[in-house]
């Protein structure tokens, strides 16, 4: 059995540089919109006093694209939803990634195949777009969109997608409306918007971006993963949607799912009550929590003597563990394909505080041929704090997972 590709998380560095900004494209002068659009979602499926303000976004599970170099990614998938950007709305598909902290979309000026094979965002087609620097100030006073040679903030994003590999995106910051949407067929479905600084990529490497089935990424990490609060989607969404519960949650199924913003799923759908766990080191921006121990069929394979923690990473498909623990856990997980097409293997049990256990069956941690999929996490911490795990969508697909922004806690049911 082959372990999954090495895993790590997105890193962002900012560079101030003089650039020429495509002066041949026309500059439009328009006043930015006043209040952001918000609308209640009557079918959000939430409960509680804030149910009327909840926004439910349908997700479709989509396989990664095959690479132009012949590489196959049949065991990698993303849960993709819809957004609109700007005025008039530009429809785009994105995946919602709890392991990153920015909105990243391909810029219309990007000519890499990884951009042109997706829908690209055009600031020039949006009357509400404004070129900005990290502080939110305009790049060029008197011009909504920069013209000629100017000094502006460039973001260089070193992106290692857990299942697809490493790559770099270079982006500029553009302030615009980013709105949740039920899809392009329903133009009245723009349910809640954030006025924010998004990253518009002017250059993207082939991997991992070519293989992504979505046009872009909505980072749902805490503010510590964003260059500023103004570039954090959920923070900005809360600022402009005061009636919403400061919480989002995910249901993920085999072929589709739902992400619920500003509300909580009905307890009638839960097999057990929602259990909450505090986020560890929330200033770092990751949705990470304590693990007590890890078992395989009841036998302890990781005692967590110096502590263990897990990061919920909805931008990855698989379970990951730091590289020096990968082999020992892999040796405990032997999965085989039965004649009926089902995987046969031991349960993997992740014990949390207060007695809750996250349980994965063999089909959850194996691919279509029943080979175990367990990624090796690369750590860049000067002083590692215990053992690190990463929980991708194959883990949380078994649970309703809630993310409490205000209280910095994670819930499972």
């Amino acid at each position: 059995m082959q372990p999954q590709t090495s895993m790590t998380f997105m890193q962002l560095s900012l560079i101030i540089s003089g650039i020429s900004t495509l002066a041949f494209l026309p500059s439009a002068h328009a006043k930015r919109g006043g209040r952001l659009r918000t609308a209640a979602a009557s079918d959000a499926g939430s409960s509680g006093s804030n149910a009327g303000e909840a926004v439910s976004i349908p997700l479709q599970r989509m396989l990664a694209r095959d690479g132009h170099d012949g590489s196959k990614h049949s065991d990698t998938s993303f849960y993709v939803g819809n957004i609109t950007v700007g005025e008039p709305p530009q429809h785009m598909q994105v995946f919602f990634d709890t392991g990153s902290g920015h909105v990243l979309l391909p810029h219309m000026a990007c000519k890499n195949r990884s951009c042109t094979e997706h829908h690209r965002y055009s600031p020039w087609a949006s009357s509400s777009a404004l070129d900005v620097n990290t502080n939110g100030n305009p790049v060029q006073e008197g011009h909504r969109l920069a013209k000629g040679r100017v000094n502006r903030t460039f973001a260089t994003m070193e992106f290692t997608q857990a299942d697809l590999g490493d790559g770099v995106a270079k982006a500029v910051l553009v302030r615009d409306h980013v709105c949740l949407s039920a899809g392009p067929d329903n133009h009245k479905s723009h349910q809640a918007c954030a006025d924010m600084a998004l990253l518009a990529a002017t250059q993207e490497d082939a991997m991992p971006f070519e293989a992504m089935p979505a046009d872009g990424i909505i980072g749902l990490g805490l503010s510590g993963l964003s260059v500023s609060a103004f570039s954090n989607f959920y923070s900005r969404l809360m600022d402009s949607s005061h009636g919403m519960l400061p919480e989002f949650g995910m249901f993920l199924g085999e072929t589709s799912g739902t992400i619920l913003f500003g509300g909580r799923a009905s307890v009638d759908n839960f097999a057990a009550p929602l259990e909450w766990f505090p986020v560890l080191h929330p200033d770092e921006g990751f949705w990470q929590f304590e693990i007590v121990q890890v078992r395989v069929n009841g036998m302890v394979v990781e005692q967590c003597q110096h502590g263990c923690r897990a990061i919920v990473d909805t931008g990855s498909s698989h379970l990951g563990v730091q590289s020096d623990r990968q082999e020992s856990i892999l040796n405990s997980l032997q999965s085989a394909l039965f004649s009926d097409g089902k995987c046969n293997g031991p349960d993997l049990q992740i014990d949390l505080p207060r007695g809750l256990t996250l349980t994965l069956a063999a089909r959850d941690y194996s691919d279509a041929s029943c080979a175990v999929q367990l990624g090796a996490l690369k750590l860049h911490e000067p002083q590692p704090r215990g053992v690190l795990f990463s929980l991708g969508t194959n883990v949380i697909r078994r649970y309703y997972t809630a993310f409490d922004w205000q209280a910095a806690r994670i819930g499972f049911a």
Side-chain angles (χ1 to χ4, degrees), residues 219-295:
L220 292 177
L222 294 163
S223 296
L225 286 179
S226 305
V227 68
S228 70
F230 194 67
S231 60
N232 186 284
F233 174 76
Y234 204 71
S235 176
R236 295 299 297 160
L237 184 67
M238 290 296 97
D239 287 346
S240 46
S241 306
H242 301 293
M244 295 176 73
L245 186 73
E247 184 181 311
F248 64 93
M250 288 188 180
F251 308 86
L252 301 179
E254 288 296 327
T255 60
S256 61
T258 300
I259 183 167
L260 186 67
F261 289 94
R264 188 177 304 168
S266 171
V267 295
D268 295 338
N269 297 324
F270 297 164
L274 193 64
E275 294 277 356
W276 291 100
F277 303 92
V279 172
L280 302 176
H281 313 290
D283 55 300
E284 296 177 356
F286 292 111
W287 293 99
Q288 57 185 329
F289 57 94
E290 180 186 358
I291 291 177
V292 175
Q293 63 181 9
V294 178
R295 295 175 291 131

Side-chain angles (χ1 to χ4, degrees), residues 21-29 122-126 143-147:
T21 59
L22 302 176
F24 60 87
L25 287 162
S27 175
H29 296 271
S122 174
W124 304 294
S126 173
H143 294 277
R144 190 172 58 83
L145 301 178
K147 299 176 65 176

Side-chain angles (χ1 to χ4, degrees), residues 37-358:
R37 299 178 310 239
T38 59
S42 59
D43 60 346
S46 61
S47 63
S49 60
N50 295 286
E53 294 294 332
V55 177
S56 178
I57 302 300
L59 304 175
Q60 188 69 32
R61 188 181 181 188
M62 301 176 68
L63 295 177
R65 300 174 176 180
D66 292 339
H68 291 286
D69 59 358
S71 56
K72 304 290 185 180
H73 309 288
S74 58
D75 295 315
T76 298
S77 61
F78 298 85
Y79 286 83
V80 175
N82 290 276
I83 62 167
T84 66
V85 188
E87 296 284 355
Q90 300 177 44
H91 292 271
M92 309 193 78
Q93 290 191 316
V94 296
F95 66 88
F96 295 91
D97 179 18
T98 56
S100 64
H102 297 87
V103 173
L104 176 68
L105 302 172
H107 196 295
M108 183 59 73
C110 179
K111 303 304 181 186
N112 302 124
R113 187 158 55 183
S114 51
C115 293
T116 59
E117 291 183 347
H118 292 93
H119 293 99
R120 290 173 292 169
Y121 162 65
S122 174
W124 304 294
S126 173
S127 64
S128 53
L130 176 70
D131 284 335
V132 294
N133 290 314
T134 53
N135 57 9
N137 293 333
V139 169
Q140 194 173 30
E141 290 293 341
H143 294 277
R144 190 172 58 83
L145 301 178
K147 299 176 65 176
R149 292 187 62 83
V150 294
N151 285 329
R152 70 178 303 176
T153 304
F154 256 100
T156 300
M157 186 177 297
E158 300 173 1
F159 194 99
T160 299
Q161 203 283 331
D163 309 302
L164 299 176
D166 301 347
V168 172
K170 294 183 179 180
V172 294
L173 280 81
V174 183
R175 179 177 179 176
D176 212 338
H177 303 326
V178 178
C179 302
L180 300 168
S181 171
D185 294 333
N186 185 355
H187 292 279
K188 296 180 180 180
S189 63
H190 318 303
Q191 299 180 39
C193 300
D195 177 23
M196 62 173 297
L198 61 92
L199 293 175
T202 56
Q203 180 179 331
E204 288 182 346
D205 286 350
M207 280 297 168
F209 301 102
E210 275 186 11
M212 291 181 180
D215 304 314
I217 303 166
I218 298 286
L220 292 177
L222 294 163
S223 296
L225 286 179
S226 305
V227 68
S228 70
F230 194 67
S231 60
N232 186 284
F233 174 76
Y234 204 71
S235 176
R236 295 299 297 160
L237 184 67
M238 290 296 97
D239 287 346
S240 46
S241 306
H242 301 293
M244 295 176 73
L245 186 73
E247 184 181 311
F248 64 93
M250 288 188 180
F251 308 86
L252 301 179
E254 288 296 327
T255 60
S256 61
T258 300
I259 183 167
L260 186 67
F261 289 94
R264 188 177 304 168
S266 171
V267 295
D268 295 338
N269 297 324
F270 297 164
L274 193 64
E275 294 277 356
W276 291 100
F277 303 92
V279 172
L280 302 176
H281 313 290
D283 55 300
E284 296 177 356
F286 292 111
W287 293 99
Q288 57 185 329
F289 57 94
E290 180 186 358
I291 291 177
V292 175
Q293 63 181 9
V294 178
R295 295 175 291 131
V296 173
N297 260 9
M299 299 291 293
V300 176
V301 295
E302 178 54 64
Q303 295 181 347
C304 299
Q305 290 181 338
H306 302 288
C308 290
R309 67 192 197 280
I311 292 175
V312 179
D313 180 13
T314 57
S316 111
S317 299
H318 302 105
L319 177 70
V321 64
Q322 69 185 54
S323 55
D324 62 341
R325 294 293 201 278
Q326 183 194 32
E327 184 176 357
S328 63
I329 295 179
L330 270 174
N331 291 337
S332 303
L333 296 173
Q334 303 292 331
S335 180
L337 184 64
F338 268 16
S339 58
D340 60 2
K342 297 181 180 179
C343 292
N344 178 46
D347 286 348
L348 176 65
Q349 297 143 332
I350 302 171
D351 293 334
L352 309 186
R354 301 196 306 278
L356 181 67
T357 298
L358 305 180

Side-chain angles (χ1 to χ4, degrees), residues 349-371:
Q349 297 143 332
I350 302 171
D351 293 334
L352 309 186
R354 301 196 306 278
L356 181 67
T357 298
L358 305 180
T359 301
L360 279 74
R363 67 180 181 274
D364 300 315
Y365 59 73
S366 304
D367 64 13
S369 64
C370 290

